[in-house]
Amino acid sequence: MTQLETVLRDLTAEGEQLDRVVAGLDADQWNLPTPAPGWTIRDQIAHLTFVFRLAATAASDPAAFEAMTAPAKGNFDAAVNAALKMFENDTPAELLAKWRAVRAEVVEALAAVPEGTTVPWLVNPLPPVVLACAGIMEQFAHGQDIADTLGVEFERTDRLGHLVVFAVLTRDFGYLSRGLTPPAEEFRFEITAPSGQVWAYGPEDAEQRVSGPAADFCLLVTRRRHRDDLAVTAVGAEADRWLDIAQAYRGPAGEGRRPGQFAPARV
């Protein structure tokens, strides 16, 4: 199995896990507010549907992708929020069907990209495997908002490794979103997988170091938990500052989450 095939398999599994949570919700539950200000569970799934549709289009029809994203060039965040209106008249069943369909479409489209080529994306073209990792990040982040709303907990597996890699690759996003200059100095990341394996990236002798369990690290970089509630630690002043601003997505950081905001979830 190639690296892309592995990531696409895990992207599918993560989507199915979230699907099992929302599939049985009634209409009132779809309209529950989530920890993301102004967003309901419906909005979270609509956002995933839109972003996955973008990714599927980017991989299968680059010209159509450019036309779809032209209005977003000036303010992508506003364009994404406006896109939610595309789904506002859908029933939960209709939205769920669209989300399921586009999840399959994006896997098929990314798998068909010729080896060694890239896919157009919002700022720079990306290898399809990196775009698939971004999809796992999106599902993790928005799925966590849904889980927090419902008081449930997802099983976290070594599939998180793809999000960890993506967060390491996008280390500088937190700086860039705040108009800060990223440090030239490399970090050392030592992240412990759910299986106990340690995923290590960066120079072994780096002075700036970040370590902790993968689930907590992923909650940090998606800004779904405050650093005070996580077992992620830093060595070095710059690495410690990074824990305050870490994010694995472009655009505004958002409000993040408050210390102690969430009670323990039920399984």
Side-chain angles (χ1 to χ4, degrees):
M1 184 174 288
T2 67
Q3 183 185 19
L4 176 59
E5 289 171 339
T6 298
V7 179
L8 291 176
R9 177 201 64 192
D10 292 347
L11 176 65
T12 298
E14 289 293 298
E16 290 172 346
Q17 181 175 227
L18 178 55
D19 193 311
R20 289 192 292 271
V21 169
V22 301
L25 299 182
D26 61 33
D28 289 339
Q29 289 174 307
W30 275 83
N31 289 316
L32 288 172
T34 69
W39 282 39
T40 63
I41 289 177
R42 158 189 279 279
D43 293 330
Q44 300 282 356
I45 297 299
H47 173 85
L48 288 173
T49 304
F50 174 67
V51 171
F52 276 40
R53 182 178 291 172
L54 278 184
T57 304
S60 62
D61 191 341
F65 170 79
E66 293 298 333
M68 286 177 67
T69 56
K73 297 298 185 183
N75 188 338
F76 179 70
D77 197 51
V80 169
N81 289 334
L84 298 181
K85 294 186 179 298
M86 296 166 53
F87 309 99
E88 64 182 357
N89 294 320
D90 290 341
T91 66
E94 289 169 340
L95 178 56
L96 186 59
K98 289 179 179 179
W99 178 50
R100 286 171 172 168
V102 79
R103 278 164 33 212
E105 289 169 14
V106 78
V107 168
E108 181 179 359
L110 288 172
V113 174
E115 185 175 357
T117 61
T118 58
V119 173
W121 198 235
L122 302 169
V123 177
N124 298 309
L126 297 175
V129 67
V130 175
L131 189 51
C133 289
I136 288 178
M137 183 275 294
E138 289 280 349
Q139 287 190 149
F140 179 96
H142 296 285
Q144 186 63 48
D145 285 339
I146 293 171
D148 288 334
T149 301
L150 300 172
V152 301
E153 186 173 357
F154 290 119
E155 177 188 12
R156 297 306 186 191
T157 72
D158 283 12
R159 295 193 295 265
L160 293 180
H162 309 304
L163 175 45
V164 171
V165 169
F166 188 73
V168 171
L169 291 174
T170 59
R171 182 204 69 168
D172 292 350
F173 281 5
Y175 295 100
L176 298 173
S177 72
R178 293 164 176 81
L180 303 173
T181 301
E185 184 178 4
E186 292 187 66
F187 287 12
R188 173 72 169 182
F189 293 91
E190 295 180 349
I191 308 301
T192 304
S195 66
Q197 179 183 357
V198 176
W199 297 320
Y201 307 95
E204 291 186 18
D205 61 350
E207 294 184 3
Q208 308 299 323
R209 311 177 72 87
V210 174
S211 61
D216 283 18
F217 181 76
C218 293
L219 288 166
L220 176 80
V221 299
T222 56
R223 297 182 62 77
R224 263 50 188 186
R225 289 293 184 274
H226 191 277
R227 62 173 290 182
D228 290 355
D229 294 332
L230 301 171
V232 180
T233 60
V235 174
E238 192 58 52
D240 186 72
R241 178 168 78 138
W242 185 80
L243 296 191
D244 288 326
I245 64 172
Q247 66 181 78
Y249 53 91
R250 283 192 177 271
E255 296 180 11
R257 304 293 179 260
R258 302 183 307 276
Q261 182 173 351
F262 299 99
R266 70 174 188 275
V267 177

